[in-house]
């Protein structure tokens, strides 16, 4: 049996009733229509205002969760500040629950309202077709030589360095980051992400932890957007809203993934910085190596104190006396090391002909 009850609550059209001959029919119909439209508009405005309250509450809720997560990652935790944000989080969660309950009441009220000519029908479905972005540009970049890629990177940085630095120095705030990347979508590329990552390594070497934390946050944000674009096979500019919609909903799994990557990124930056220091030290050491492949600084540091004094003062008679006081094998061993490291240069004398010790190498070994 067909259920016709859903047709019981329908407002008939504004011009369907018969009216008294003394009443202006057109004016009555117009008034009815205006009154109904006004009721619908008021209901819609009430719901829109409530949705805005929910959105603001959710934004504050998500920002508070992120702040708590950031404070928990800090080594020297400020428990007073942490407790403040935890209390604030509890208050916001309570407010969010109340707003959601109110929204359900409004939706129930909306569903129970009688149908009319404006609401009795609606679109059955809509379909939007978006052409897939061309991948030719990406393939062309991949086919470039390393030299051309380097030139492309340099050109990009020269053209957008000021915008990148402004972005990097912004506070770690989702709304501000979203607004800036929406305004400057050209920054959403690998070149910009690499620039920020290299800057993080420089800051690690400078031990500027506060600035490093800020730029690392923006770098990982950009990495997530670029990775999301690769997964969706679309332009990174088209994924900005998708990323921030996920992150601002405070989805635990997605937030955990973000902050885990942020922590891993900082560790990788620290490792790269240490590797850069070791590489620089090794290059400096290679420059110091003597003709026998020994480092004069290392040889000098392992010498007995009396032998070090001889090389520091470049006192040949004292050096001969110290070597004579040693066992023959030991003296020859130190002399060979000094020659191999360049501290002693055989058959070489200074302008006055009185010194066979390399003053330059002694100077280097003491630096």
């Amino acid at each position: 049996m067909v259920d016709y009850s859903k047709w019981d609550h329908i407002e008939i059209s504004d011009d369907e009733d018969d009216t008294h001959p003394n009443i202006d029919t057109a004016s009555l119909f117009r008034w009815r229509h205006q009154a109904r439209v006004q009721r619908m508009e008021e209901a819609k405005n009430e719901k829109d205002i409530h949705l805005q309250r929910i959105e603001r509450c959710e934004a504050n809720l998500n920002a508070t969760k992120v702040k708590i997560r950031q404070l928990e990652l800090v080594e020297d935790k400020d428990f007073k500040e942490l407790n403040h944000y935890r209390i604030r989080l509890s208050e916001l969660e309570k407010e969010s629950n109340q707003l959601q309950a109110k929204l359900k009441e409004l939706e129930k009220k909306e569903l129970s309202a009688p149908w009319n000519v404006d609401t009795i029908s609606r679109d059955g479905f809509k379909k939007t077709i978006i052409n897939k972005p061309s991948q030719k540009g990406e393939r062309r970049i991949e086919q470039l030589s390393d030299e051309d890629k380097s030139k492309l990177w340099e050109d990009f940085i020269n053209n957008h360095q000021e915008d990148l630095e402004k972005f990097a120095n912004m506070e770690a705030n989702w709304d501000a980051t979203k607004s800036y990347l929406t305004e400057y979508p050209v920054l959403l590329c690998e070149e910009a992400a690499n620039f920020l990552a290299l800057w993080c390594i420089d800051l690690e070497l400078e031990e500027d932890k506060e600035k490093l934390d800020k730029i690392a946050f923006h770098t990982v944000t950009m990495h997530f957007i670029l990775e999301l674009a690769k997964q969706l096979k679309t332009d990174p500019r088209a994924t900005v809203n998708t990323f921030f919609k996920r992150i601002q909903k405070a989805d635990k799994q997605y937030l955990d993934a973000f902050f885990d990557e942020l922590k891993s990124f900082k560790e990788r930056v620290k490792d790269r910085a240490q590797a850069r220091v070791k590489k620089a030290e090794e290059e400096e050491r290679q420059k110091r190596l003597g003709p026998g492949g020994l480092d004069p600084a290392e040889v000098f540091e392992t010498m007995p104190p009396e032998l070090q004094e001889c090389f520091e003062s470049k006192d040949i008679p004292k050096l001969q006396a110290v070597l004579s006081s040693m066992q023959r094998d030991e003296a020859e061993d130190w002399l060979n090391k000094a020659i191999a490291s360049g501290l002693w240069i055989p058959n070489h004398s200074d302008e006055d002909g009185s010194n066979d010790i390399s003053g330059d190498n002694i100077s280097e070994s003491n630096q």
Side-chain angles (χ1 to χ4, degrees):
M1 185 174 179
V2 180
D3 182 11
Y4 293 99
S5 62
K6 65 180 180 179
W7 303 106
D8 292 341
H9 300 287
I10 299 178
E11 287 184 343
I12 58 177
S13 64
D14 303 322
D15 58 355
E16 200 166 294
D17 283 343
D18 291 331
T19 59
H20 193 276
N22 295 335
I23 297 176
D24 182 9
T25 304
S27 298
L28 177 62
F29 293 162
R30 185 167 58 253
W31 175 82
R32 284 179 176 176
H33 180 264
Q34 289 174 349
R36 179 169 54 79
V37 170
Q38 185 177 356
R39 289 196 303 271
M40 292 173 60
E41 189 66 27
E42 289 174 353
K44 181 178 181 300
N45 288 340
E46 183 182 8
K47 185 176 180 181
D48 289 343
I49 291 172
H50 192 75
L51 288 174
Q52 290 175 5
R53 290 175 181 168
I54 291 176
E55 186 177 350
R56 285 196 298 269
C57 180
E58 290 298 319
N60 292 333
L61 188 66
N62 297 335
T64 304
K65 287 181 178 179
V66 171
K67 185 64 178 178
I68 291 174
R69 187 62 184 271
Q70 290 175 336
L71 291 173
E72 289 175 343
L73 291 174
V74 176
E75 293 182 2
D76 298 329
K77 295 181 176 62
D78 186 343
F79 289 100
K80 184 177 180 181
E81 185 178 10
L82 189 58
N83 289 334
H84 167 74
Y85 279 103
R86 283 173 176 168
I87 294 172
R88 176 62 177 157
L89 178 63
S90 178
E91 293 173 350
L92 288 170
E93 287 176 342
K94 182 178 179 181
E95 181 183 353
S96 177
N97 292 334
Q98 292 173 348
L99 290 172
Q100 290 296 336
K102 176 65 175 178
L103 178 62
K104 289 181 180 179
E105 291 180 10
L106 292 175
E107 290 175 343
K108 185 177 180 180
K109 182 179 178 181
E110 182 182 3
L111 289 173
S112 62
W115 288 358
N116 56 60
V117 68
D118 295 320
T119 60
I120 198 168
S121 64
R122 59 189 63 180
D123 293 339
F125 64 90
K126 292 182 179 180
K127 183 177 182 182
T128 303
I129 300 176
I130 302 176
N131 292 332
K132 291 184 178 180
S134 172
Q135 304 295 321
K136 292 181 180 179
E138 295 182 6
R139 287 197 294 268
R140 282 198 297 268
I141 294 176
E142 291 175 357
Q143 292 170 359
L144 293 175
S145 64
D146 291 341
E147 184 178 351
D148 290 337
K149 288 181 181 179
S150 177
K151 180 66 167 58
L152 189 67
W153 185 82
E154 290 177 1
D155 290 343
F156 177 85
I157 299 305
N158 290 334
N159 293 331
H160 304 288
Q161 184 167 350
E162 184 177 347
D163 295 335
L164 274 169
E165 290 177 352
K166 185 177 178 181
F167 172 65
N169 288 312
M170 291 173 59
E171 293 300 324
N173 179 285
W174 298 122
D175 293 330
T177 304
K178 178 183 178 181
S179 176
Y180 194 82
L181 291 178
T182 303
E183 185 178 356
Y184 297 96
V186 69
L187 301 182
L188 289 166
C189 61
E190 293 291 346
E191 289 82 2
N194 292 338
F195 174 82
L196 294 178
L198 291 173
W199 194 352
C200 287
I201 296 174
D202 292 338
L203 292 172
E204 176 67 29
L205 292 171
E206 297 168 8
E207 298 184 354
D208 190 344
K209 300 298 183 185
E210 182 178 352
K211 195 169 184 178
L212 171 61
D213 290 343
K214 191 160 46 178
I215 298 181
F217 179 90
H218 294 310
T219 306
V220 174
T221 298
M222 193 170 287
H223 282 163
F224 263 66
I225 294 174
L226 293 174
E227 185 60 31
L228 182 60
K230 288 180 181 178
Q231 293 175 2
L232 299 177
K233 296 182 179 179
T234 187
D235 191 296
R237 291 172 293 185
T239 61
V240 173
N241 288 332
T242 304
F243 167 76
F244 285 103
K245 187 175 180 181
R246 287 187 183 181
I247 209 75
Q248 289 180 319
K249 280 186 175 179
D251 180 88
K252 186 177 185 305
Q253 185 176 0
Y254 204 66
L255 274 176
D256 286 346
F258 179 89
F259 284 107
D260 287 345
E261 174 58 22
L262 179 59
K263 184 178 180 181
S264 299
F265 175 76
K266 289 180 182 178
E267 291 174 352
R268 293 196 299 271
V269 165
K270 188 174 182 179
D271 292 341
R272 289 289 299 276
Q274 291 175 349
R276 187 186 288 184
V277 170
K278 290 180 180 178
K279 182 180 179 181
E281 291 176 346
E282 181 60 25
E283 290 176 352
E284 185 63 28
R285 180 178 176 277
Q286 290 296 326
K287 293 177 182 178
R288 292 198 308 260
L289 293 182
L294 295 183
D295 184 351
E298 294 177 359
V299 171
F300 183 83
E301 289 173 359
T302 58
M303 284 180 172
E306 60 272 17
L307 206 53
Q308 289 180 353
E309 292 176 4
C310 296
F311 280 95
E312 284 179 337
S313 62
K314 304 181 185 179
D315 190 335
I316 300 299
K318 186 176 180 180
L319 175 61
Q320 291 172 343
V322 171
L323 291 175
S324 299
S325 65
M326 295 180 176
Q327 294 291 332
R328 182 179 181 84
D329 292 343
E330 183 183 4
E332 288 182 354
D333 181 55
W334 282 118
L335 190 58
N336 289 334
K337 287 181 179 179
I339 294 172
S341 65
L343 286 172
W344 178 278
I345 301 177
N347 302 321
H348 170 79
S349 60
D350 293 340
E351 292 181 359
D352 60 1
S354 62
N355 201 336
D356 288 337
I357 300 177
S358 171
D360 292 338
N361 284 328
I362 290 178
S363 177
E364 281 190 12
S365 68
N366 290 324
Q367 290 178 351

